[in-house]
Amino acid sequence: MSTFGWALADGWTIARRTLTHWRMQPGLVLFSWFFPVLMLLMFGGLLGGAMDFPEGESYYELLVPGIFALSMLFGLEGTMTAVTQDRDKGVTDRFRSLPMSSTAVVLGRCIADMLDSVVTLIVLAAAGLALGWRWHEGLPAAVAAFGLLLLLRFSLLWIGIFIGLTVKNAQSVMMVQVLVWPIGFLSSAFVATSTMPAWLGTIAQWNPLSATATASRALFGNPDPSAAATWIGTHAELAAIIGPLVLTAVFLPLSAHRYRTLSR
């Protein structure tokens, strides 16, 4: 078997370990899949009535793509927790001692978490369709939008792996998880950035989460009042590609280096 095939086979073995955990703990998995749906219902009910949209348009047209992007960010928490727990329990060290590809552990984590993200998007899309959200630009554009969302998740995945391998203990992970929420809310996920104070709206616009949310709205054909307000708003598709690629280029090597030097 080639080196790549060996790494892929070992990575799938590690991914199947995570899938087995899903079967053994279905409650936790179902909660992670349906929590974004709860947020969709909650914020749709809380903020929907205060939003002014043209006749025939719904707040869910703006909100659903934002929740899509937000769910990709929240997946970071599960990645950090799982990586930290495996490291602290010595599972990662035991894997490293086996005759397997040195990339299999992180690759397996990547495969499992991306599968989890695909299921999350499917559940969210079904809930959005039930609430009246639709895509209007055809299936190829919708597939491209989901591809951008998964690209964002892929880049955040490596941040989660790096943090999970770097923090001292599970308590430290909890402190990092708290920071995920303001990053998620300081974006265009829930409201147009044009309604924010100018300085705050600028920060929110340059949040990679906002770029992906804005780009996915454009591809879905959903309204976004702040899309044309700034340069990054009018070039959201480009920013939604470049941003995650930069994050991946930074944190993938850092994660690989941290994994190789974990026991030093």
Side-chain angles (χ1 to χ4, degrees), residues 49-236:
M51 298 295 172
D52 186 20
F53 282 89
E55 186 176 354
E57 293 185 0
S58 166
Y59 174 53
Y60 286 109
E61 294 276 288
L62 173 75
L63 180 63
V64 171
I67 297 294
F68 283 160
L70 198 64
S71 67
M72 299 298 97
L73 175 66
F74 285 165
L76 179 68
E77 300 182 8
T79 301
M80 290 188 299
T81 301
V83 172
T84 302
Q85 287 177 345
D86 280 352
R87 186 204 63 189
D88 290 348
K89 293 177 180 178
V91 175
T92 303
D93 286 336
R94 288 197 290 273
F95 283 146
R96 282 155 51 92
S97 69
L98 295 174
M100 62 192 302
S101 170
S102 60
T103 62
V105 176
V106 290
L107 180 60
R109 183 77 255 163
C110 177
I111 294 172
D113 283 3
M114 292 304 294
L115 288 174
D116 178 71
S117 298
V118 169
V119 176
T120 298
L121 287 176
I122 291 173
V123 172
L124 261 177
L129 290 171
L131 292 169
W133 167 77
R134 297 290 185 273
W135 63 73
H136 308 283
E137 298 297 327
L139 184 59
V143 171
F146 286 119
L148 289 180
L149 289 161
L150 291 173
L151 178 62
L152 175 67
R153 177 69 180 102
F154 182 75
S155 65
L156 295 173
L157 171 71
W158 295 106
I159 297 177
I161 291 175
F162 175 72
I163 293 174
L165 293 173
T166 302
V167 295
K168 294 182 178 180
N169 48 49
Q171 288 72 27
S172 300
V173 170
M174 293 179 63
M175 290 189 293
V176 176
Q177 287 175 334
V178 172
L179 298 177
V180 171
W181 289 84
I183 292 173
F185 282 93
L186 187 56
S187 68
S188 63
F190 300 105
V191 297
T193 56
S194 56
T195 63
M196 304 176 187
W199 65 271
L200 190 63
T202 300
I203 295 174
Q205 276 283 348
W206 284 90
N207 185 338
L209 194 73
S210 295
T212 300
T214 300
S216 62
R217 288 181 184 120
L219 290 168
F220 287 133
N222 298 146
D224 191 343
S226 61
T230 63
W231 180 90
I232 196 169
T234 56
H235 299 81

